[in-house]
């Protein structure tokens, strides 16, 4: 009988083996559940690093070329959209004509910015988890919180400036994954309050050591504060903005570089003039067509490079002809202005100098491209993936010269005291040595027009200055009006153009939920 | 062990006859008087016995009066007494019980007469005739409701199998169970079709329910061969075949090309470039340069099988070597497979005569190994594949550069130019060919070499516990090792196909292991007219695996490419490695089946399976899949016996309903895990990568199985003693909760979660017809099947209700999934001929309302000129916009059919198999209008060149910027076809001749595959599937199926076979 008992036991065992839930619970061998992972100082920092990552996406993300500086500047008066054909870079063309609709409105930038928001929110959640687990020091927790919140403001700033009335959330969404769309002014209230909180934490260093270049600093937060409050024309906060500018000016780490052209070279990165750059690198660059979010370089130089250029000639590579510099912009500069050559890349002359003929094949070709981010062969060396996406040019976000011009403007607009003339002329005199200009608001505006071509400042300046007439003779008569010299833009800017249309796909995805999206009245 | 060996050696040869006093001699015949060869003649209770010879004759000595048992498979056993008779004639009656066909139903077999579910059976004979490399291809045309579409003619290429339609937008592949062991679809070619005894396709929910969570797309049960008692056979088969394309596409020759190019340039407002088009003559026929005519294939097959009372064995060795018709001669499209199999079972004890409990114990093992070496080229792509480039290359250009070209190429590309085996430099076509390349030069590149080793083993024990209560336990393993090796030298073939920076070499290895443990209790009982069968079982399985791969730049010696023999440095980013474990998956299940029949007249069956899967969260791990089916054998009703006509021999009604699941949806999608993929940032000056990590996605913890619910009505009829049979089934299958990415706004800032959101419906009717006819020595068998299928995507699950599934360069997107339409369908403009003159353009108007609401007449195509396509204003808004695109066809056939005809007369046998489809369309995306220099299909000669010249094809323009070639019905062709898939003529030499050489049977045959194809389609092949089966009927320039002529020989050694 023993045999049968063994057999019965075997049968019972066989039937019982799989009924435990243990058997059906398998672990992913290459990943951990987030709750088990993001609860230490080290891993929270990793999540913070991931929150920085979307900063480098917009130049090519989700199938769209939406570099923030070019997407901003095509709506102003200094560059054309250009490209290969009349329909190339379609969404930028529609924006440039003030003729956008929901099909053509920077969906790449929209998604990248919200990815940044979501990741920043996650960092704040994970800090709580790590605190509960007792695995993070109070200092680190505070520092990471400041960084994550500053980043969140930075991302919302993109969304707020372009789209204005947007869904806003500070805790990540759960089923059914929708939230309320709020008015632009309410968005402003949220983000400026959030930023004030960051500054009040007072844990960010005024300047980062070289090894941490690219992480948020207090000076970066100040510049962000000035940008947002000045764009909102928030009189109650502009005096504070001025004080922040003065704090940067007083800081010994920050100063102008003597040579304007140097600012945009690889060698000029993270020198005294740099307050904030988005980092890109070519050495070991892994960004690729199949891995656009991989870390590495930028595609911006390739986008704005001269079409039809012989690759490698005079150290330059060819490009896709985006953002040709308008002839009127070239003419705006005094010939002696160091900024002229550093801004306007005269391709035909360079070709002729070497006995080559440059045959333009781009749309809206003017003969000039943007020198600041021109595709230099030297700037894409050492990349592992496709060289087109791996230029090492950092994207200049905030420079010390902007600090000076912000400060001068705020003084001249009577938001506080300061030596506006010295600040203005520090910028002016660097590029036109020995000359000075009078400290007037108009001269500050003119200086900004000369200083920041192609840096994504001009359009927002024009909007906040509400420039519809020609107060200063620097082509502002054509600013934001239709019927420009190429007869390209036929629609005149009006206040309804301030907020571009929300991508259609978002409107349709939110339709029928508790929070449908209302399209901007563009 | 020694005993086993003895058995192997002697069974089927001569059972040792002990010297006894009385000799009995006689013959054994069947009821028709034919001699029975190979019947057993054994003295009861001893080993003393013999087998009958070719004339059915035997002689056996025993003691007088001994009981002698005469048995033969398929016949009732007889016992006689040895009385010394010298001319005894024993007539064995047909055992109708035994002869009745059985069907494998999953964890058991069932008599066909009481089957209530919808199951298609394909037997070894049909598979042998189709002579395919892969089990999926072999099923083509053999079973109703099973749609098999070859993806291409590449040797070893998988076919797309859909059982009762495309069940889901996700994985719609059926579940393969080989001898009880589930085998992943990617590895199913380890199976040698010659080893298969039968294939059962479980089509309805009731039959599939015993496989619950994996059965939503149907189940294919494969049973491999066993030895037959009373037979010991050693057989050897060899075949040799030659393959060639069955047709070439008609394209322009060099003169026509030059003429058309000139015309197209003039139409584009440019100057013509060929001053004397006729000087070019015929030019290069690129298809002839590319195709490998008479590509050889060899097949060897050895098997040994047999059985005694206690031991049963089947062992085989198979070898296939096949060259592809595109690139096979360059080592780029080749398939080579070795398979070994050993199926054995051993009865450890059988005391069923002595006691009623624990009276029989059987062990079994099925072990197989396969080794595959293969290479392949892209089979259906729109960008620079070998086939598309062959169609696109100018016939004016030649494969090898002329002296002048060679000098220019050498100057421009230096060492990047490549040479053919003859030492001549390959021609590099110019920029006007875009990404298209010299296809011969492309074939000359080294391709990746893929290899696979696979072991599948299944061991089982079956114990008869008491009465008919049986317990069976099995454990199975499926172990795979596969990888690929490749390298790249420096070359330049086109701006898009080049490698001009560094040489490199790469290699990868993968391994996986699945195991399965099953325990099943069965109990069968017949009490008078009541028959029960109950089954209760448990199953647990797990999967895991791992990969490792790497690459390195700067190969030291291109003749010996290996990672170790290359010099790239890791710190320079010139050496990379990747690898890690695969996602593990586990499945635990319980299943129960109860069958009942009353006098084989009323049948009912209930099946339920409960599955737990690791792929779902704790709240949804388990799901239950119930089903039931009913049957009614009308012809067995006593009260109908007098009424029913003589010729009606069988009439059965069937009904079934049930639910099945689909868990093939990927792993860990219910949870949020860390994702260290795309989250690094760059900090510092100088810049440094800093590693980031984040949550992988938003999670949907309520994720559950896709469930399909299916209802089936069936009717089986048999006439004239079942020589004519007819079956019809109607079904409707609804798949609910199809998994799709949830349609939520992107402002969530994260990869969107997956949700159970879609619904798909399939319904159809299936017919099967069989006919058998015998007169004298002539036998005829005809089997036909036809399937009507209607597939409809009811709910895609996203906001718009549609999604793009494919596009064609220059024509735009044309393949869609959309609510209410077949999944997928062709989408584009409807055309209505060509504008013959300006008057027609001006007459093509619509009345619309102007801004003030007043009616006004406007031109529908204001930009059109004579020779342009007239598009239909589908939405009637008075202009042609993207909104006018509509349903212009789809690749899913309405009807799929197959006909098998077999006949034999004396030693000759003949068979043929036709199969085909009706009502499917093909989107002919082989003409790239964006490639300026491309050669043109011959139909372009029928273009519009002036009033009245054509009302179908528009004027020809190089670099056409008009809307004439936007995606429209101009691209859509009828894809219906009828194909003589196989035809075979064989002759078996008379046994008397061959027996002298111990050869019991020698058959030679000639066969042809794809000999005749009737289709109106102009392309290489009407049968196309790609893109995971989504892009059915999309022809980007498909690698066509070959026409193959085969010569073969089948030899059987040893004692003669049982003739029956």
């Amino acid at each position: 009988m023993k045999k049968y008992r063994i057999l019965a036991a075997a049968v019972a065992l066989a039937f019982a083996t799989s009924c435990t839930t243990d058997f059906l619970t398998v672990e992913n061998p290459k990943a951990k559940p987030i709750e088990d992972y993001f609860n230490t100082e080290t891993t929270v920092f990793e999540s913070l690093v991931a929150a920085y990552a979307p900063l480098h996406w917009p130049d090519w993300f989700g199938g769209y070329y939406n570099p923030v500086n070019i997407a901003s500047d095509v709506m102003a008066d200094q560059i054309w959209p250009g490209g290969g054909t009349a329909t190339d870079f379609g969404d930028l063309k529609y924006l440039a004509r003030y003729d956008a609709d929901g099909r053509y409105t920077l969906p790449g930038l929209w998604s990248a910015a919200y990815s940044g928001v979501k990741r920043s929110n996650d960092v704040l959640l994970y800090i709580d988890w790590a605190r509960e687990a007792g695995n993070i020091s109070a200092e680190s927790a505070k520092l990471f919180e400041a960084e994550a919140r500053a980043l969140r403001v930075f991302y919302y700033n993109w969304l707020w400036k372009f789209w204005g009335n947007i869904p806003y959330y500070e805790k990540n969404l759960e089923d059914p994954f929708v939230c309320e769309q709020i008015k632009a002014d309410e968005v402003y209230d949220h983000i400026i309050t959030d930023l004030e909180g960051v500054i009040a934490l007072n844990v960010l260093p005024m300047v980062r050591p070289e090894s941490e270049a690219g992480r948020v600093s207090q000076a970066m937060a100040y510049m962000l504060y000035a940008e947002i409050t000045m764009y909102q024309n928030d009189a109650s906060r502009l005096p504070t903005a001025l004080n922040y500018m003065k704090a940067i000016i007083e800081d010994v780490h920050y100063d102008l570089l003597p040579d304007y052209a140097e600012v945009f070279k690889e060698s000029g990165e993270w020198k005294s003039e740099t307050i904030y750059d988005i980092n890109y690198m070519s050495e070991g660059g892994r960004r690729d067509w199949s891995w656009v979010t991989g870390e590495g370089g930028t595609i911006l130089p390739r986008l704005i490079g001269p079409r039809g250029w012989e690759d490698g000639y005079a150290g330059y590579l060819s490009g896709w002809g985006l953002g040709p510099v308008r002839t009127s912009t070239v003419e705006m500069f005094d010939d002696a202005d160091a900024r002229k050559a550093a801004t306007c890349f005269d391709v035909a002359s360079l070709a002729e100098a070497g006995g080559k003929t440059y045959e333009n094949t781009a749309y809206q070709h003017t003969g000039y491209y943007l020198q600041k981010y021109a595709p230099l062969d030297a700037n894409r060396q050492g990349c592992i993936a496709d060289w087109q996406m791996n230029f090492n040019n950092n994207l200049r976000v905030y420079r010390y010269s902007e600090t000076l011009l912000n400060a001068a403007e705020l003084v001249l607009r009577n938001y506080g005291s300061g030596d506006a003339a010295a600040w203005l002329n520090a910028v002016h005199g660097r590029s036109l040595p020995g000359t000075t200009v009078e400290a007037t608001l108009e001269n500050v505006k003119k200086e900004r027009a000369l200083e920041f071509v192609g840096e994504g400042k001009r359009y927002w300046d024009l909007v906040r200055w509400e420039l519809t007439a020609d107060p200063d003779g620097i082509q502002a008569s054509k600013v934001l009006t239709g019927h420009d010299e190429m007869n390209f833009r036929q629609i005149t800017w009006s206040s309804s153009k301030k907020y571009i249309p929300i991508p259609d796909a978002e409107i349709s995805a939110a339709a029928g939920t508790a929070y449908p999206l209302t399209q901007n009245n563009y | 062990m020694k005993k086993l060996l003895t058995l192997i050696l002697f069974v089927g040869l001569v059972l040792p006859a002990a010297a006894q006093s009385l000799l009995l001699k006689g013959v054994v015949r069947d009821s028709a008087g034919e001699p029975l060869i190979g019947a057993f003649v054994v003295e009861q209770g001893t080993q003393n016995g013999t087998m009958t010879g070719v004339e059915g004759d035997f002689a056996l000595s025993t003691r007088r009066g001994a009981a002698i048992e005469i048995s033969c498979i398929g016949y009732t056993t007889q016992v006689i007494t040895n009385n010394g008779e010298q001319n005894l004639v024993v007539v064995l009656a047909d055992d109708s019980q035994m002869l009745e066909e059985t069907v494998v139903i999953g964890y058991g077999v069932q008599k066909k007469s009481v089957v209530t579910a919808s199951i298609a059976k394909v037997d070894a004979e049909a598979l042998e005739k189709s002579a395919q490399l892969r089990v999926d291809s072999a099923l083509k045309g053999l079973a109703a409701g099973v749609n098999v579409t070859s993806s291409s003619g590449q040797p070893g290429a998988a076919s797309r199998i859909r059982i009762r339609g495309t069940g889901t937008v996700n994985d719609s592949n059926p579940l393969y169970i080989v001898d009880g062991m589930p085998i992943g679809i990617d590895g199913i070619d380890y199976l040698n079709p010659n080893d298969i005894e039968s294939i059962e396709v479980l089509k309805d929910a009731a039959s599939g329910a015993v496989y619950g969570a994996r059965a939503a797309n149907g189940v294919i049960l494969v049973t491999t061969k066993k030895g037959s008692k009373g037979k010991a056979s050693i057989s050897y088969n060899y075949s040799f075949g030659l393959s060639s394309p069955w047709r070439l596409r008609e394209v322009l020759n060099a003169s026509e090309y030059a003429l058309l190019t000139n015309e197209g340039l003039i139409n584009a407002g440019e100057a013509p470039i060929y001053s004397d088009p006729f000087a070019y003559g015929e030019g290069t026929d690129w298809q002839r340069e590319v195709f490998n005519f008479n590509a050889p294939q060899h097949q060897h097959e050895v098997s040994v099988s047999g059985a005694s009372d206690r031991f049963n064995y089947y062992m085989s060795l198979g070898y296939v070597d096949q060259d592809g018709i595109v690139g096979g001669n360059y080592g780029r499209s080749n398939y080579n497979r070795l398979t070994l199999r050993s199926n054995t079972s051993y009865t450890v004890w059988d005391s069923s005569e002595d006691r009623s409990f624990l009276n029989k114990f059987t062990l079994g093992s099925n072990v197989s190994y396969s080794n595959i070496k293969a290479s392949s080229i892209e089979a259906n792509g729109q960008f620079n594949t070998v086939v598309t480039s062959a169609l696109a290359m100018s016939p004016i250009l030649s494969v090898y550069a002329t002296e002048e070209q060679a000098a220019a190429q050498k100057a421009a590309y230096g060492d990047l130019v490549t040479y053919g085996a003859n030492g001549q430099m390959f021609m590099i076509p110019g920029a006007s060919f875009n990404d298209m390349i010299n296809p011969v030069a492309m074939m000359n590149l080294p391709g990746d070499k893929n290899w696979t080793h696979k072991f599948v083993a299944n061991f089982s024990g079956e114990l008869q516990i008491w009465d008919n209560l049986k317990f069976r336990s099995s454990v199975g393993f499926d172990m795979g090792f596969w990888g690929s090796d490749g390298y790249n030298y420096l070359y330049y073939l086109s701006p898009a196909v080049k490698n001009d920076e560094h040489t490199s070499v790469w290699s990868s290895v993968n391994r996986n292991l699945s195991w399965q443990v099953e325990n099943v209790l069965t109990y069968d009982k017949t009490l008078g007219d009541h028959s029960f069968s109950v089954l209760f079982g448990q199953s647990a399985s797990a999967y895991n695996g791992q990969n490792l791969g790497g690459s390195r730049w700067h190969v030291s010696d291109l003749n010996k490419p290996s990672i170790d023999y290359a010099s790239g440095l890791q710190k320079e980013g010139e050496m990379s490695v990747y690898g890690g474990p695969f996602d593990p998956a586990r499945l635990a299940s319980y299943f129960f089946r109860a069958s009942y029949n009353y006098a084989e007249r009323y049948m009912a069956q209930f099946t339920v399976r409960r599955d737990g899967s690791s792929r779902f969260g704790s709240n949804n791990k388990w799901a239950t899949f119930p089903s039931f089916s009913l049957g009614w054998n009308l012809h067995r009703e006593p009260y109908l016996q007098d009424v029913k006509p003589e010729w009606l021999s069988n009439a059965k009604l069937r009904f079934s309903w049930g639910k099945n699941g689909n868990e093939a949806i990927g792993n860990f999608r219910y949870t949020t895990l860390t994702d260290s993929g795309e989250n690094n940032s760059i900090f510092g000056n100088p810049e440094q990568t800093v590693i980031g990590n984040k949550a992988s996605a938003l999670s949907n913890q309520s994720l559950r199985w896709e469930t399909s619910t299916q209802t089936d009505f069936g009717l089986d009829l048999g006439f004239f003693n079942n020589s004519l049979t007819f079956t019809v089934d109607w079904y409707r299958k609804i798949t609910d909760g199809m998994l799709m990415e949830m349609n939520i706004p992107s402002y969530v800032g994260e990869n969107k979660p997956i949700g159970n959101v879609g619904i798909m419906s399939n319904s159809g009717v299936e017919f099967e017809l069989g006919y058998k006819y015998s007169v004298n020595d002539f036998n005829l068998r005809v089997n036909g099947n036809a399937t009507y299928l209607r597939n409809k995507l009811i709910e895609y699950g996203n906001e718009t209700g549609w999604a793009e599934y494919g596009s064609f360069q220059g024509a735009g997107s044309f393949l869609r999934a959309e609510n209410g339409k077949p999944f997928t369908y062709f989408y584009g403009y409807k055309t209505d001929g060509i504008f013959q003159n300006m008057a027609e353009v001006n007459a093509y108007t619509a009345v619309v309302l102007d801004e003030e609401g007043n009616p006004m007449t406007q031109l529908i195509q204001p930009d059109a000129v004579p020779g342009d396509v007239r598009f239909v204003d589908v939405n009637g808004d008075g202009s042609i916009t993207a909104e006018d695109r509509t349903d212009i066809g789809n690749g899913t056939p309405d009807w799929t059919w197959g006909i098998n005809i077999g006949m034999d007369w004396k030693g000759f046998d003949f068979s043929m198999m036709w199969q085909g489809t009706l009502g499917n369309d093909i989107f002919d995306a082989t003409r790239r209008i964006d490639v300026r220099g491309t050669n043109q299909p011959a139909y372009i000669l029928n273009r519009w060149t002036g009033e009245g010249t054509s009302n179908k094809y528009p004027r020809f323009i190089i670099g056409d910027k008009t809307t004439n070639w936007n995606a429209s019905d101009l691209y859509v062709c009828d894809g219906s076809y009828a194909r003589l898939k196989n035809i075979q003529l064989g002759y078996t030499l008379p046994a008397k001749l061959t027996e002298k050489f111990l050869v019991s049977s020698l058959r030679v045959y000639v066969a042809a595959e794809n000999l005749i194809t009737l289709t109106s389609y102009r392309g290489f092949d009407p049968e196309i599937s790609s893109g995971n089966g989504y892009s059915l009927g999309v022809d980007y320039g498909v690698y066509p199926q070959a026409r193959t002529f085969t010569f073969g020989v089948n030899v059987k050694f040893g004692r003669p076979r049982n003739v029956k």
Side-chain angles (χ1 to χ4, degrees), chain A residues 61-115:
Chain A
F61 183 61
Y64 299 91
Y65 301 102
N66 295 162
V68 184
N69 56 332
I70 302 298
S72 305
D73 280 357
V74 292
M75 296 191 288
D77 57 348
Q78 294 183 326
I79 61 169
W80 300 109
T85 63
T87 52
D88 203 9
F89 300 103
D91 52 348
L92 299 179
K93 292 238 165 60
Y94 284 95
L95 285 175
R97 279 204 288 252
Y98 306 141
D99 194 20
D101 64 34
R103 285 174 294 168
Y104 311 106
T105 51
L106 312 178
L109 178 61
W110 170 278
S111 301
Y114 271 112
S115 296

Side-chain angles (χ1 to χ4, degrees), chain A residues 3-4 7 11 14-19 21-35 37-38 43 45-50 52-53 56-57 110-111 114-116 118-119 122 126 167 169 172-173 175-180 210-215 266 269-271 279-281 283 286 291 293-297 380 382-384 387 392 394 505-506 508-511 515 517, chain B residues 349 355 357-358 463 465 471 473 501 515 517 519-521 536-542 547 553 572-574 579-590 611-616 621-622 668 670-702 742-750 752-753 799-800:
Chain A
K3 195 158 78 179
Y4 306 140
L7 207 74
V11 172
F15 275 80
T17 43
S18 67
C19 63
T21 46
D22 282 0
F23 178 73
L24 293 178
T25 309
V26 294
E27 272 191 25
N28 189 314
K30 290 189 278 197
K32 263 187 163 180
I34 51 169
E35 300 84 353
Y37 186 78
F38 290 116
T43 56
F45 178 70
E46 287 177 11
S47 76
L48 179 64
V49 171
Y52 276 96
H56 79 252
W57 296 355
W110 170 278
S111 301
Y114 271 112
S115 296
K118 194 263 173 183
R119 291 171 178 212
D122 274 339
Y126 301 156
Y169 58 93
N172 285 332
L173 305 178
D175 202 358
F177 306 109
V178 285
C179 76
E180 198 182 352
E210 281 221 307
S211 64
E212 293 174 7
R215 287 177 67 183
E266 175 71 2
E269 290 181 353
W270 293 111
K271 293 291 179 284
N279 277 326
Y280 288 101
M281 65 179 190
E283 192 67 40
R286 295 197 295 155
W291 198 36
T293 54
E295 79 278 9
R380 54 116 189 185
C383 61
I384 292 168
W387 63 266
N392 65 13
N394 286 357
E506 295 293 278
S508 63
Y515 298 114
L517 286 172
Chain B
W349 75 77
R355 59 173 191 257
F357 53 89
L358 300 181
L463 180 68
I465 296 175
F471 176 71
S473 188
E501 304 212 329
W515 58 257
V517 175
N519 295 287
V520 182
L521 265 177
F536 178 63
Q538 163 274 333
S539 168
S541 60
N547 70 344
W553 295 6
E572 303 289 334
E574 297 170 345
F582 298 157
D583 287 352
R586 288 179 183 175
L587 192 70
S589 322
Y590 299 95
D611 279 301
S613 165
S614 63
R615 289 183 167 141
F616 300 91
K621 278 220 184 309
W622 290 88
F668 302 109
Y670 62 91
T671 184
T672 306
L673 299 163
T674 52
D675 168 17
S676 47
E678 48 187 44
N679 316 298
N680 300 341
S681 287
I682 300 162
F683 294 147
N685 183 41
E687 290 110 343
Q688 293 291 332
T689 295
V690 182
I691 303 297
N693 207 327
K694 74 177 241 305
S696 58
L698 296 168
S699 74
N700 175 7
Q701 297 189 350
S702 52
M742 288 171 82
N743 178 47
I744 57 173
S746 301
Y747 68 67
V748 296
E750 190 50 273
K752 296 170 189 175
E799 173 66 24
T800 56

Side-chain angles (χ1 to χ4, degrees), chain B residues 791-916:
Chain B
N791 165 275
K792 193 159 101 176
L793 179 63
I794 295 178
E795 174 64 56
Y796 189 68
N798 65 354
E799 173 66 24
T800 56
W802 59 265
E804 304 286 4
Y805 269 77
S807 64
F808 180 46
Q809 193 81 357
S813 65
F814 66 89
L815 191 65
R816 269 195 179 193
E818 186 173 338
N819 294 350
K821 297 282 184 188
F823 179 80
T824 54
Y825 76 104
F826 304 144
Y827 183 77
Y829 297 94
K830 267 201 159 68
T831 63
D832 181 22
I834 301 293
F835 290 116
Q836 299 298 329
N837 49 48
M838 213 54 211
E840 288 190 18
V841 175
N842 292 328
Y844 192 44
T845 59
V847 177
V848 295
L849 298 181
D850 66 12
E851 284 171 9
E852 278 136 30
N854 301 316
M856 60 172 231
T857 304
Q858 76 175 34
L859 291 182
I860 293 175
Q861 283 177 251
D863 300 332
V865 300
D868 280 349
V869 175
R870 182 193 287 119
F871 292 103
V872 179
D873 180 17
V874 171
N875 68 352
D877 68 348
S879 56
I880 301 300
T881 64
E883 310 304 315
D884 290 310
R885 289 178 298 165
T886 183
D887 182 352
I888 51 172
N890 77 77
T892 307
D894 299 329
W895 287 92
T896 312
W897 57 269
I899 297 173
N900 265 290
I901 299 169
M903 50 187 100
D904 54 76
W905 178 72
K906 304 221 161 155
F908 291 95
D909 63 272
F910 171 79
S911 71
M912 64 176 174
M913 201 265 266
W914 286 83
Q915 55 85 221

Side-chain angles (χ1 to χ4, degrees), chain B residues 56-267:
Chain B
D57 52 316
F58 71 91
L60 180 70
S61 291
T62 69
R63 63 180 167 79
R64 177 172 292 272
I68 296 176
E69 191 179 285
I70 300 166
S71 62
C72 186
I73 297 225
Y75 297 87
T76 331
T77 300
Q78 261 190 46
V79 182
I80 54 165
T81 309
N82 184 359
N83 55 7
E85 171 78 58
Q86 295 293 299
N87 289 307
L88 182 71
V89 177
V90 182
V91 178
L92 293 185
D94 287 5
D95 184 343
S96 56
Q97 198 71 19
M98 272 193 76
L99 277 179
E100 189 169 357
E101 205 179 341
T102 57
V103 174
V104 181
I105 57 170
Y107 304 105
V109 292
Q110 204 169 34
K111 283 203 296 192
K112 197 173 180 191
S113 62
V114 299
V115 167
T116 48
S118 179
I119 298 171
K121 177 172 179 165
V122 177
D123 60 18
E125 196 186 347
L127 291 171
E128 259 167 43
K129 290 282 152 55
S130 79
Q132 295 293 313
L133 275 179
R134 298 175 56 105
V135 58
D136 46 359
S137 320
L139 276 172
K140 183 182 289 184
L142 295 181
V146 182
N147 179 301
V148 181
T149 313
S150 305
S151 55
S152 76
Q154 186 131 249
S159 292
R160 169 193 183 273
I161 289 205
R162 293 291 176 268
I163 296 173
R164 293 192 162 176
T166 302
T168 166
V169 298
N170 297 306
D171 188 349
S172 295
N173 287 310
L175 170 69
Y176 284 93
I177 303 278
V178 180
D179 293 328
M181 183 72 192
I183 302 292
I185 184 128
D186 295 332
I188 198 65
D189 66 338
Y190 88 104
L191 197 58
N192 176 359
N194 288 298
D195 287 339
I196 298 175
E197 181 67 39
S198 76
I199 298 176
E200 268 83 358
V201 183
L202 311 183
K203 298 189 288 187
D204 65 345
S207 55
V210 78
Y211 293 104
R214 295 167 295 170
N217 295 308
V219 183
I220 295 177
L221 294 179
V222 178
T223 310
T224 57
K225 285 177 177 165
K226 292 180 184 62
S228 295
K229 202 170 169 183
K231 302 175 189 172
S233 94
I234 302 169
S235 71
Y236 168 70
N237 302 323
Y238 169 72
S239 71
F240 171 72
L242 291 170
S243 301
S244 298
W246 67 273
R247 106 164 4 156
L248 300 182
R249 249 189 122 107
E250 289 179 35
V251 295
L252 306 185
N253 67 27
S255 300
E256 292 166 334
Y257 171 81
L259 269 174
L260 259 282
T261 302
N262 282 349
E263 178 184 324
L265 286 167
I266 293 167
N267 285 341

Side-chain angles (χ1 to χ4, degrees), chain B residues 511-584:
Chain B
R511 64 180 163 86
N512 69 1
L513 169 70
S514 302
W515 58 257
Q516 174 183 267
V517 175
E518 292 193 316
N519 295 287
V520 182
L521 265 177
T522 53
Y523 184 66
D524 302 325
K525 190 72 186 169
T526 303
L527 292 167
D529 280 340
H530 305 273
S531 293
F532 303 88
S533 175
V534 181
L535 171 149
F536 178 63
Q538 163 274 333
S539 168
S541 60
Y543 168 90
N544 65 54
Q546 180 174 356
N547 70 344
L548 185 65
S551 65
R552 195 169 183 184
W553 295 6
H554 311 312
V555 180
S556 302
D557 179 349
L558 286 166
N559 295 315
K560 298 174 180 176
S562 91
I563 289 178
D564 278 354
Y565 199 23
S567 58
L569 296 174
Q570 190 163 16
K571 67 177 165 65
E572 303 289 334
E574 297 170 345
M575 184 155 102
S576 71
V577 66
Y578 62 87
F582 298 157
D583 287 352

Side-chain angles (χ1 to χ4, degrees), chain A residues 177-188:
Chain A
F177 306 109
V178 285
C179 76
E180 198 182 352
Q181 178 187 20
I182 58 177
K183 293 278 163 226
D185 286 346
E186 297 173 70
V187 176
Y188 171 74

